[in-house]
């Protein structure tokens, strides 16, 4: 299995600012993903973080709003840019790949509140 | 496109009651199926999985069988405990691409 940590665990931010969320995996993984979970809702995939290339974004999500970095096989960041109250959500990182028989493991999430 | 539909919650049961949470899916290929659990204030944990038709996944007293003929993956437990109170997510997964598609989640509340 993989153990995933995220920082910060929660934050309260002002409208118009940006927040960068870090995701660290305790082993090398092929695939890393970022999800958003809005209050009382299911998880929606934002993007797949590709190591060494640009992230692959799902419909409705764009790089300017959610820039992602993946500098190596154990680490990724998601930035929520120019935040508005509608961005208040839990953001979850997950990781997986062939080494884990295609299971995905999730971090504890970052609870973001935008005022 | 592919999708997952779960029964609506919240589901409220008494301790030791039998649990069923329905999950049906629409898939263009042959996905794996998962149940994830999210305890209050925590991230998601994989509860069980099945990778092909007729497989049964089981863990911690929970079971689910991959039924291709009815496109279902219902979660069952014979006797729930207060500690099972959580939100349960059904999801489908394709090895290629590695994306998980989640259902809307079902909140379970177990009363003593």
């Amino acid at each position: 299995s993989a153990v995933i940590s995220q920082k910060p665990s929660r934050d309260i931010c002002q409208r118009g600012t940006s927040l960068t969320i870090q995701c660290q995996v305790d082993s090398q993984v092929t695939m890393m993903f970022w999800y958003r979970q809005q209050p009382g809702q299911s998880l929606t995939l934002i993007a797949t973080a590709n190591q060494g290339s640009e992230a692959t974004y799902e419909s409705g999500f764009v790089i300017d709003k959610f820039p992602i970095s993946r500098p190596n096989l154990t680490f990724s960041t998601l930035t929520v840019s120019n935040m508005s109250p509608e961005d208040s959500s839990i953001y979850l990182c997950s990781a997986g790949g062939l080494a884990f028989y295609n299971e995905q493991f999730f971090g504890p999430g970052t609870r973001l509140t935008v005022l | 496109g592919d999708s997952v539909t779960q029964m609506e919650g919240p589901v409220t049961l008494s301790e030791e009651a039998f649990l069923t949470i329905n999950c049906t899916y629409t898939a263009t290929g042959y996905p794996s199926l998962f149940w994830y659990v999210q305890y209050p204030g925590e991230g998601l944990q994989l509860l069980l999985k099945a990778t092909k038709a007729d497989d049964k996944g089981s863990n911690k007293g929970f079971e689910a069988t991959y039924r291709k003929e009815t496109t279902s993956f219902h979660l069952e437990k014979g006797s729930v405990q207060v500690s099972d109170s959580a939100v349960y997510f059904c999801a489908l997964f394709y090895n290629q691409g590695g994306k998980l598609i989640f259902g809307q989640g079902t909140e379970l509340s177990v009363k003593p």
Side-chain angles (χ1 to χ4, degrees), chain A residues 3-5 22 26-27 29 31-32 35 40 42 44 46 56-57 63 65 67 78 104-105 112 115:
Chain A
V3 177
I4 302 174
S5 59
Q22 298 179 6
D26 69 342
S27 56
V29 292
M31 312 186 81
M32 294 182 74
Y35 290 85
S42 186
T44 302
I46 297 171
T56 304
Y57 289 84
I63 188 171
K65 176 67 176 176
L78 169 76
Q104 274 192 37
F105 300 90
L112 171 62
L115 303 177

Side-chain angles (χ1 to χ4, degrees), chain B residues 23-31 33 50-55 65-74:
Chain B
C23 170
T24 57
Y25 66 91
T26 302
T28 52
Y30 302 96
L33 298 173
T51 57
K52 61 183 187 298
D54 300 326
D55 268 3
T65 301
Y66 190 162
R67 301 279 188 206
K68 189 165 177 242
E69 63 276 13
T70 54
T71 62
S72 65
F73 192 55
H74 304 321

Side-chain angles (χ1 to χ4, degrees), chain A residues 33-35 44-48 55-63, chain B residues 97 99-101:
Chain A
F33 304 89
W34 288 97
Y35 290 85
T44 302
L45 180 64
I46 297 171
T48 302
T56 304
Y57 289 84
E58 297 298 305
S59 176
F61 297 96
V62 295
I63 188 171
Chain B
K99 290 195 304 188
L100 278 165
I101 298 173

Side-chain angles (χ1 to χ4, degrees), chain A:
Chain A
S1 65
V3 177
I4 302 174
S5 59
Q6 285 184 233
K7 287 196 289 189
S9 59
R10 59 178 64 226
D11 208 340
I12 301 173
C13 300
Q14 296 297 319
R15 181 195 300 258
T17 62
S18 298
L19 176 72
T20 295
I21 303 168
Q22 298 179 6
C23 177
Q24 179 74 55
V25 189
D26 69 342
S27 56
Q28 293 186 344
V29 292
T30 310
M31 312 186 81
M32 294 182 74
F33 304 89
W34 288 97
Y35 290 85
R36 182 173 73 183
Q37 186 179 21
Q38 293 178 302
Q41 302 295 314
S42 186
L43 283 80
T44 302
L45 180 64
I46 297 171
T48 302
N50 302 308
Q51 197 268 329
S53 64
E54 280 197 2
T56 304
Y57 289 84
E58 297 298 305
S59 176
F61 297 96
V62 295
I63 188 171
D64 290 346
K65 176 67 176 176
F66 298 102
I68 288 171
S69 78
R70 177 122 190 242
N72 56 51
L73 291 174
T74 64
F75 186 78
S76 178
T77 67
L78 169 76
T79 299
V80 186
S81 303
N82 188 24
M83 287 184 284
S84 67
E86 291 70 37
D87 295 319
S88 298
S89 288
I90 298 172
Y91 292 86
L92 295 115
C93 168
S94 76
L98 288 174
F100 302 101
Y101 301 97
N102 289 314
E103 284 190 29
Q104 274 192 37
F105 300 90
F106 282 80
T110 296
R111 187 178 296 269
L112 171 62
T113 302
V114 184
L115 303 177

Side-chain angles (χ1 to χ4, degrees), chain B residues 41-71:
Chain B
E42 299 185 13
L44 270 72
Q45 300 175 27
L46 180 63
L47 180 61
L48 53 84
K49 68 175 182 178
T51 57
K52 61 183 187 298
D54 300 326
D55 268 3
K56 177 187 281 190
S58 61
N59 186 25
K60 299 181 182 179
F62 291 90
E63 292 183 341
T65 301
Y66 190 162
R67 301 279 188 206
K68 189 165 177 242
E69 63 276 13
T70 54
T71 62

